[in-house]
Amino acid sequence: MLVAGLFTSGAAAAGETPEIEWGSCPSPSAPGLECGVLRVPVDYREPGGAQLEIAVSRLRSADPARRRGVLLVNPGGPGLAGLDLPAVIANRGVPRSLLDSYDLVGFDPRGIGRSAPVTCDLSPEQLTTAFGTYAHTPDDVVAQAGRATEIAEKCVAKGGDNLPHLTTRNTARDLDRIREALGERRISYFGTSYGTYLGVVYAELFPARTDRFLLDSAASPDLVWREQFRGWGPGTELRFPDFGAWAAARHETYRLGRTVDEVRATYFALAGRLDRTPIAGINGDVFRQLTRFQLYSDAAFPALAGIWQHLANGEAPPPSGPPAPGDNFVAGYLAVTCGDVRWPTSLAHYQHAVRTDRARYPMVGAMTANVTPCARWPLAPREAPTEISGHGPARFLILQNLRDPATVYSSGVRLRAQLGGRARLVTVDEGGHGIYPGLNPCADELATRWLVDGALPAGDQWCTSG
């Protein structure tokens, strides 16, 4: 439920132009950010039926005389809110030319944040096991299947009538309603991670309404969603040496190992010890998930090393670590990833995948290949997944790190191949998840030239580290 007084909405009946009445944003809010609500159909097959409210934000162009349009932004997930994202992007050091050229428009996707939030009412343990547990034996896979079934059934029981409609295709339709309410003929778009998939789905559904699209850390549409998330196994292995080298160079501070191999050995020793004896609620599964997530950014390395150091000493880590996943995030994540496509259901499939990935990618492979609630989701997808083609104008710039632990480099290569001549790929010799702005000067320049000047490179590009 949106807070009364903070948002107002102009309801649009079926066939009428949707409207947004802009007002103040929820507190705390960033200077210059304005917010409103847009009513959209729960089910686009019944546009005059039940409606839900999408929370929308806008940071107006810093130079209206130079404004060329709107840039819709999405932070990824699925399950992440984006209402504050225009202000976050502005404060991350994007060039003034970008802020002059666009109104930055954010939104909380349907089911997330202030847009009719969904819940699964999960326990803290269920919030963690929703992403898989590390299976050492085939029986561990069977046990995880039981936990996944309980979570899936609870989500469907608690999720409400909107749950089957919280899909990427419907969120893309919401984007077009936002475009229409803003009075724009076309939109430009900047999406990160899952937001890249949302962007290409929008472009397939509404090809004539796309302008300049920046896709940062791309998910491959032909891998959604089982194989995309299984890629976290190899992604962690590719990224970990960056942290290992960082920690080894600071062995006198953290005592985690003098070489990358020694730091890696410390990881396995800690994971095994925590499997047997958790510390302050951190078991082996939580430790593996926490480590994997903290590899998303070099800026998280000191906090991660500090957590390891405390655990190695048998101590509870300080409370400054990453927050546990919230129920709305997990519920939204499951609603989309389970509702977009069918997942394999065979236990034999997962047991084989776990056995394979545990050998190939021992850090987290036996977790990311394991059963998740989507394998036991009681609701069938209401639509077929969107097919991405190479037909259409060249309007996509893809940025992809070589050592991305979440959307591995090959995902960007696959998306580039699917889009064909419609896209250019910028390969960035960096680690981490998320590039623009601030990670790499070369990638920053190419992305800004595309969004501001419409200068799409003639061919794919390579950006060296630093």
Side-chain angles (χ1 to χ4, degrees):
M1 180 67 70
L2 298 176
V3 180
L6 294 178
F7 290 93
T8 56
S9 65
E16 294 182 359
T17 301
E19 297 180 358
I20 305 172
E21 288 186 25
W22 297 102
S24 60
C25 290
S27 180
S29 176
L33 194 66
E34 54 186 349
C35 293
V37 162
L38 176 66
R39 291 178 62 81
V40 301
V42 172
D43 185 346
Y44 276 90
R45 294 173 301 183
E46 299 179 5
Q51 306 281 300
L52 61 80
E53 294 181 332
I54 301 296
V56 185
S57 64
R58 178 171 63 183
L59 187 65
R60 287 186 178 273
S61 166
D63 185 354
R66 296 180 59 189
R67 179 186 181 278
R68 69 170 314 276
V70 296
L71 180 69
L72 271 75
V73 294
N74 179 269
L80 293 178
L83 200 64
D84 295 335
L85 190 57
V88 171
I89 291 173
N91 291 332
R92 277 169 53 191
V94 294
R96 171 60 58 180
S97 57
L98 181 71
L99 300 179
D100 288 344
S101 299
Y102 293 100
D103 293 346
L104 300 186
V105 178
F107 66 103
D108 285 350
R110 55 170 55 206
I112 306 303
R114 296 177 180 272
S115 296
V118 66
T119 181
C120 289
D121 194 23
L122 300 179
S123 68
E125 180 183 6
Q126 287 176 320
L127 291 173
T128 299
T129 57
F131 294 93
T133 55
Y134 197 94
H136 299 274
T137 69
D139 287 343
D140 290 342
V141 177
V142 175
Q144 172 61 11
R147 289 185 286 265
T149 299
E150 292 178 359
I151 292 171
E153 291 178 348
K154 195 171 186 180
C155 285
V156 172
K158 299 288 186 178
D161 294 339
N162 292 347
L163 184 68
H165 305 284
L166 305 182
T167 64
T168 300
R169 285 173 67 90
N170 279 333
T171 301
R173 294 175 177 119
D174 295 342
L175 281 179
D176 202 57
R177 295 275 291 191
I178 294 172
R179 175 202 60 79
E180 189 178 1
L182 294 172
E184 298 289 334
R185 187 170 63 89
R186 297 193 298 180
I187 62 167
S188 292
Y189 179 84
F190 170 28
T192 302
S193 190
Y194 163 73
T196 64
Y197 180 62
L198 174 61
V200 295
V201 169
Y202 177 87
E204 288 293 336
L205 294 179
F206 306 102
R209 300 168 189 171
T210 62
D211 195 0
R212 302 169 187 176
F213 275 46
L214 178 65
L215 308 178
D216 185 334
S217 308
S220 176
D222 66 339
L223 298 178
V224 296
W225 285 112
R226 161 66 174 162
E227 294 303 317
Q228 185 68 54
F229 296 144
R230 190 177 172 187
W232 292 344
T236 299
E237 301 284 348
L238 288 168
R239 171 61 165 157
F240 185 79
D242 291 343
F243 171 71
W246 183 95
R250 295 160 179 80
H251 176 71
E252 297 306 318
T253 300
Y254 296 105
R255 317 298 294 183
L256 299 179
R258 293 181 173 83
T259 67
V260 173
D261 286 343
E262 288 183 1
V263 176
R264 183 178 172 88
T266 299
Y267 169 87
F268 287 109
L270 282 172
R273 185 191 310 171
L274 292 166
D275 279 335
R276 298 185 296 272
T277 309
I279 297 174
I282 299 179
N283 60 19
D285 289 332
V286 173
F287 172 73
R288 293 179 181 95
Q289 292 281 23
L290 183 153
T291 296
R292 187 188 70 79
F293 181 74
Q294 293 290 80
L295 296 177
Y296 281 24
S297 170
D298 288 6
F301 286 179
L304 179 58
I307 291 170
W308 279 31
Q309 184 180 43
H310 281 275
L311 293 172
N313 293 332
E315 305 166 349
S320 58
D327 179 76
N328 180 232
F329 168 73
V330 174
Y333 163 88
L334 291 175
V336 173
T337 57
C338 304
D340 274 357
V341 293
R342 292 183 181 274
W343 286 54
T345 60
S346 164
L347 273 180
H349 163 87
Y350 290 96
Q351 288 169 331
H352 175 75
V354 163
R355 183 171 63 252
T356 300
D357 288 10
R358 185 173 57 241
R360 291 178 177 174
Y361 317 116
M363 297 192 75
V364 297
M367 172 181 285
T368 56
N370 206 349
V371 182
T372 74
C374 291
R376 295 294 181 264
W377 202 249
L379 304 176
R382 297 204 167 195
E383 297 183 85
T386 305
E387 294 187 10
I388 307 302
S389 74
H391 304 295
R395 288 177 176 160
F396 300 94
L397 185 68
I398 304 168
L399 308 180
Q400 202 78 16
N401 279 334
L402 279 176
R403 300 179 304 283
D404 188 325
T407 52
V408 295
Y409 175 69
S410 59
S411 291
V413 174
R414 294 172 79 107
L415 178 59
R416 168 69 176 88
Q418 287 172 289
L419 291 171
R422 303 169 68 190
R424 305 291 185 271
L425 173 66
V426 179
T427 298
V428 186
D429 186 9
E430 303 281 3
H433 186 53
I435 299 169
Y436 185 76
L439 181 68
N440 181 278
C442 165
D444 282 356
E445 179 180 359
L446 290 168
T448 300
R449 287 183 60 204
W450 167 232
L451 290 176
V452 174
D453 301 323
L456 194 65
D460 295 341
Q461 301 290 305
W462 172 275
C463 287
T464 59
S465 178

